[in-house]
Amino acid sequence: MDINKDEVCIFIPTLNEAPTIGELVRSFKEMGYKNILVLDGNSTDNTAGIAEEEGASVFLQKRGKGKGNAIIEALDYISQPYVLMLDGDGTYLPEDAEKMLEPLFEGYDHVIGNRLDNFEKGALSKLNHFGNQIINYLFKVAHGTYLNDILSGYRAFTLKSMKNLNLRESGFEIETEISAESVRNEQKIKVVDIVYKKRPGTETKLRPIRDGGKIITAVWRLAKISNPTFYFGVIGLVIVLIGVILGIFVSIDWVKGITHTELTILTVLLIIIGFQIFMFGVIADMLVSFNRDLKMEIQRLQPPNPPR
């Protein structure tokens, strides 16, 4: 499959990547990619200047802070029909670009580069690797699809599919939201194995425990739209469990001849409320499924685009 490189935008969101951005931009230029967009999050080093010297189109981020806001803002600058997005820290190889782009030219909407099966020694700690695996399986439970590496920063999109993503996250949760939105929109997704290198430039901005907690919360929170049964089911289950624990306590004291009238009423209420929240999730899931089917039917009935 031949790739028309003039139709590809190489999009690199950056923040203090001066040690690596120059070589990265130069490599893509040497490979024949002319459209390289660097959206810089107002770096305190010379990231923007180096990227511009190497021939990239550089814009300073205007929309808040964080990678998520950079991705959302980048859509204002991209006009090419295909987008290859990667971090500017030197962990992803330009040599994997064609592997990432080929599925788009074959009809896929979204390509994810899987780092977890082929990473350089020291690129991922055991904690990070284990955490990524847990998050991927939680995503499968919450959103119904296993995507191997939902936190990958190496992705390819058609511009149309990228604009169809309703993105709102500002920070490291953005990859999770991109994955969730792609699944929700029933995009055709391809996962390809890539090489992941040890970070050669500045220190990583990711904090495994803090950011991992945020990402897990995002996996659950984003399921509110795509899988309401899971989202409300978790809330309902927690409330029911609290009610059951209280019920056990009340039952043990009742056997001893101690009566807790108020706690008994609270126990019953918690179990009923938890069950009702779960049922609300089931009903909401039915509505989401109906809305999705209706949307697909409307798209099917639309006349095809006229030939150009």
Side-chain angles (χ1 to χ4, degrees), residues 250-298:
V250 168
S251 299
I252 292 174
D253 274 6
W254 181 77
V255 171
K256 296 178 182 179
I258 304 171
T259 303
H260 298 285
T261 304
E262 294 82 1
L263 283 180
T264 301
I265 295 173
L266 179 60
T267 295
V268 175
L269 284 175
L270 286 172
I271 292 175
I272 292 174
I273 290 171
F275 180 74
Q276 287 180 330
I277 290 175
F278 172 76
M279 290 307 300
F280 177 79
V282 173
I283 295 171
D285 197 80
M286 293 171 62
L287 292 174
V288 167
S289 297
F290 174 76
N291 181 66
R292 185 183 297 120
D293 292 342
L294 181 61
K295 182 179 177 182
M296 290 178 63
E297 186 65 18
I298 291 172

Side-chain angles (χ1 to χ4, degrees), residues 52 70 74 85 136 161 180 234 259 287 296 305:
E52 194 166 23
M85 181 182 77
N136 286 321
S161 68
V234 170
T259 303
L287 292 174
M296 290 178 63
N305 294 327

Side-chain angles (χ1 to χ4, degrees), residues 192-224:
V192 300
D193 290 338
I194 58 168
V195 176
Y196 188 63
K197 293 178 65 66
K198 185 177 180 181
R199 189 181 177 99
T202 56
E203 185 180 346
T204 179
K205 304 171 187 70
L206 182 69
R207 298 294 176 262
I209 303 300
R210 180 197 66 188
D211 294 319
K214 289 181 180 179
I215 291 167
I216 290 173
T217 301
V219 169
W220 169 72
R221 176 165 40 80
L222 292 168
K224 179 167 57 177

Side-chain angles (χ1 to χ4, degrees), residues 82-286:
Y82 303 101
V83 183
L84 180 67
M85 181 182 77
L86 72 160
D87 296 336
D89 58 7
T91 54
Y92 298 106
L93 296 179
E95 289 80 2
D96 282 330
E98 292 196 5
K99 185 190 298 186
M100 294 288 296
L101 290 166
E102 279 176 0
L104 298 182
F105 286 82
E106 295 169 357
Y108 284 89
D109 302 305
H110 180 189
V111 183
I112 301 174
N114 174 30
R115 310 161 296 162
L116 303 183
D117 294 331
N118 187 20
F119 57 91
E120 189 179 82
K121 184 177 180 180
L124 284 174
S125 67
K126 291 182 178 180
L127 175 62
N128 283 344
H129 188 261
F130 177 74
N132 271 272
Q133 297 283 16
I134 293 297
I135 289 170
N136 286 321
Y137 280 106
L138 286 176
F139 184 89
K140 179 183 179 181
V141 172
H143 298 273
T145 304
Y146 185 70
L147 296 177
N148 296 83
D149 187 9
I150 68 163
L151 303 184
S152 174
Y154 209 172
R155 295 173 185 255
F157 312 85
T158 63
L159 183 60
K160 180 180 177 181
S161 68
M162 197 174 183
K163 287 186 173 181
N164 283 339
L165 304 177
N166 184 21
L167 303 179
R168 298 180 180 179
E169 298 293 334
S170 61
F172 286 110
E173 302 94 326
I174 187 64
E175 282 91 0
T176 304
E177 186 177 33
I178 288 173
S179 301
E181 278 290 295
S182 291
V183 171
R184 186 177 72 84
N185 285 286
E186 298 186 335
Q187 293 183 352
K188 195 174 180 183
I189 304 171
K190 176 83 170 180
V191 178
V192 300
D193 290 338
I194 58 168
V195 176
Y196 188 63
K197 293 178 65 66
K198 185 177 180 181
R199 189 181 177 99
T202 56
E203 185 180 346
T204 179
K205 304 171 187 70
L206 182 69
R207 298 294 176 262
I209 303 300
R210 180 197 66 188
D211 294 319
K214 289 181 180 179
I215 291 167
I216 290 173
T217 301
V219 169
W220 169 72
R221 176 165 40 80
L222 292 168
K224 179 167 57 177
I225 298 176
S226 59
N227 189 358
T229 299
F230 175 81
Y231 176 82
F232 290 103
V234 170
I235 297 175
L237 179 61
V238 170
I239 294 174
V240 168
L241 285 176
I242 294 173
V244 169
I245 292 171
L246 279 177
I248 293 172
F249 170 75
V250 168
S251 299
I252 292 174
D253 274 6
W254 181 77
V255 171
K256 296 178 182 179
I258 304 171
T259 303
H260 298 285
T261 304
E262 294 82 1
L263 283 180
T264 301
I265 295 173
L266 179 60
T267 295
V268 175
L269 284 175
L270 286 172
I271 292 175
I272 292 174
I273 290 171
F275 180 74
Q276 287 180 330
I277 290 175
F278 172 76
M279 290 307 300
F280 177 79
V282 173
I283 295 171
D285 197 80
M286 293 171 62

Side-chain angles (χ1 to χ4, degrees), residues 14-140:
T14 59
L15 179 63
N16 295 326
E17 310 293 0
T20 53
I21 189 63
E23 182 180 352
L24 189 61
V25 172
R26 188 162 55 251
S27 295
F28 277 111
K29 283 284 185 179
E30 291 172 352
M31 292 170 63
Y33 294 95
K34 301 175 183 178
N35 306 304
I36 302 176
L37 168 65
V38 171
L39 189 58
D40 185 63
N42 296 281
S43 297
T44 55
D45 60 12
N46 194 32
T47 298
I50 295 172
E52 194 166 23
E53 287 175 4
E54 293 295 340
S57 298
V58 180
F59 295 89
L60 296 182
Q61 187 173 332
K62 300 175 183 176
R63 180 173 177 152
K65 297 180 179 179
K67 183 178 179 180
N69 283 326
I71 293 172
I72 296 169
E73 184 177 334
L75 291 173
D76 295 335
Y77 305 115
I78 298 173
S79 58
Q80 290 74 26
Y82 303 101
V83 183
L84 180 67
M85 181 182 77
L86 72 160
D87 296 336
D89 58 7
T91 54
Y92 298 106
L93 296 179
E95 289 80 2
D96 282 330
E98 292 196 5
K99 185 190 298 186
M100 294 288 296
L101 290 166
E102 279 176 0
L104 298 182
F105 286 82
E106 295 169 357
Y108 284 89
D109 302 305
H110 180 189
V111 183
I112 301 174
N114 174 30
R115 310 161 296 162
L116 303 183
D117 294 331
N118 187 20
F119 57 91
E120 189 179 82
K121 184 177 180 180
L124 284 174
S125 67
K126 291 182 178 180
L127 175 62
N128 283 344
H129 188 261
F130 177 74
N132 271 272
Q133 297 283 16
I134 293 297
I135 289 170
N136 286 321
Y137 280 106
L138 286 176
F139 184 89
K140 179 183 179 181

